Amino acid sequence: MTTETATAAAGSKAAGKGKRKYVVGTRRQLDAAELAATGLRDRWYPIYPSRFVGTGDMVKVKRLGVDWLLFRDATGQIRMLEDRCPHRSAPLSVGQHLGDRVACKYHGVQVDGQGTVVSVPGMPGCALEGRTVTASLAVAEGADTIFAFVPLTEDSEVTGFKLPDRLDNPEISWFSNYAEWISPWRYYMDNVLDPMHGAFLHRDSHSMFGGDTSARFRIRETDRGFFFEKTDQRGKNFDWVEFCRESMDYVDLEIPYAESAGPGGSFGIVGMSTPIDENTSAVFHWRTRTVSDWERDVWRFMYKATLEEKHWAVLEQDRELLEALAADADRGEHLYQHDLGVARIRRVHEADAQKQAAILLDGSA
Amino acid sequence: MLEQYLEANQSRVGPPHPYEQKLAGALTEIFASGTHELPAIITGLNNLGLNAPDGQPWDEARFRSEMRRLGE
Ligand code: FES
Ligand SMILES: [Fe+2]
């Protein structure tokens, strides 16, 4: 048997007339500040490298403050469920993988990849059977990565998934990189919208030793976001970044390689950060190069043999700096002209947070 | 607390083979001098006294096929 309490607690439709809307996976409303801290919803996010979830694996991950279960079913399809049994909320991740479904360890309830209860072994015929009460997310895999659409409410409409252009072009070769930073996701965004740090923080690096240490910047609108770029230097350091808002928010940028990196010119970066919780982030980068034929093979060999470690050293400079920032580092700052990109991205995300909080308050929105 | 995933090498499995390290080191040296053309790279490898995997001097076919294997 099942009760209304059990239904509401399972995160499905909130009962009652006002039709209060809860954030998927939280069983409550979040205000704008909480949404901004744990991650804006209604968009696709990279979740985890594909290689970490083999067929038959069950992996628990926290994203946007919610515990999720990733499992790859017997056909190789990745599934993502809230890591919470619809019965009495035991984590499904400690249960058993049964091919196309998982069985809860506590009382054996079986949930399939869509979050539907397919069996209640302790009470066959129970009304819980056949009900879809576990949150499941739309997922996509590409560029070596598992992506998911993280909805605001159960009424959210899933938008189409699209990889960033740079990762979906046969002329461009890439490698993915994954890291976990003990730093809020908003610091990641601020950092990548701030190219000027390249000439200082990364002065001692394989790629950002050149160019001026002063510059003037401008913002230039594009059809998918905006460029934040130096007006007086290009192709010498981290001189521009494009913030792109497609099915995901990401940054796209290029940085010159030293001659020692071989033929092929600059490398590109696609960067994204997914909140784990308000204090930690899953950081995804793809390092790309427009190379073909033997030049492509040479770059891929050199990347694996030596360049990847040099890229990593640069990323560690970012991580160490961001992890050292105080929790209120973005209060009481004194911004100057180089920080226009930072100010802009903060306004974009603040507006998103306000909008999403309003949807939760106003059930009809 | 999060067990932090921080792994410098994600594109290859295990440490690089000493032969690969030596070859990458030689190529880094050649590239650093501004040499990015195929014939000059091959001359550079031979001048550094490195041989192709079959023990012969490098030529274009050997270089292309070895890079294809290593860069797959
Ligand atoms: S809590 Fe999962 S079956 Fe009871
Ligand atoms: Fe950086």
Side-chain angles (χ1 to χ4, degrees), chain A residues 178 180 259 304 308 323, chain B residues 4-5 10-12 36:
Chain A
Y178 172 71
E180 292 165 347
E259 296 273 25
K304 290 191 273 187
E308 184 174 31
E323 290 190 349
Chain B
Q4 209 173 353
Y5 181 82
Q10 303 185 18
S11 64
R12 65 164 195 246
H36 287 181

Side-chain angles (χ1 to χ4, degrees), chain B:
Chain B
M1 195 56 227
L2 176 76
E3 206 186 294
Q4 209 173 353
Y5 181 82
L6 292 173
E7 176 55 56
N9 287 290
Q10 303 185 18
S11 64
R12 65 164 195 246
V13 189
H17 194 279
Y19 154 73
E20 290 169 22
Q21 270 180 310
K22 195 162 175 217
L23 181 56
L27 287 170
T28 301
E29 195 180 320
I30 293 164
F31 295 152
S33 69
T35 302
H36 287 181
E37 300 300 321
L38 191 48
I41 293 167
I42 289 160
T43 307
L45 285 175
N46 288 326
N47 287 346
L48 286 170
L50 262 73
N51 284 330
D54 62 0
Q56 297 300 305
W58 289 97
D59 58 17
E60 187 170 325
R62 286 183 171 87
F63 183 73
R64 281 175 176 270
S65 99
E66 183 63 345
M67 285 301 121
R68 191 159 315 130
R69 183 181 77 80
L70 295 170
E72 38 121 28

Side-chain angles (χ1 to χ4, degrees), chain A residues 59-166:
Chain A
V59 178
K60 181 193 192 93
V61 291
K62 180 175 277 199
R63 295 291 180 266
L64 288 89
V66 175
D67 287 328
W68 305 95
L69 165 69
L70 287 170
F71 77 100
R72 197 178 288 283
D73 72 18
T75 69
Q77 170 68 46
I78 201 83
R79 305 287 187 181
M80 188 166 175
L81 301 177
E82 191 188 354
D83 189 21
R84 185 168 163 125
C85 177
H87 176 220
R88 280 187 42 224
S89 311
L92 291 169
S93 56
V94 303
Q96 227 184 339
H97 192 303
L98 296 179
D100 64 334
R101 64 188 69 179
V102 294
C104 179
K105 190 183 180 100
Y106 206 177
H107 317 93
V109 164
Q110 296 178 10
V111 182
D112 74 9
Q114 279 86 40
T116 303
V117 175
V118 284
S119 171
V120 180
M123 182 169 278
C126 166
L128 187 56
E129 285 181 0
R131 297 190 54 192
T132 303
V133 278
T134 300
S136 74
L137 302 191
V139 291
E141 270 190 292
D144 290 350
T145 304
I146 298 163
F147 296 87
F149 182 85
V150 182
L152 181 64
T153 74
E154 58 173 352
D155 298 331
S156 291
E157 289 205 20
V158 179
T159 56
F161 174 73
K162 177 184 178 294
L163 278 176
D165 292 343
R166 208 183 272 276

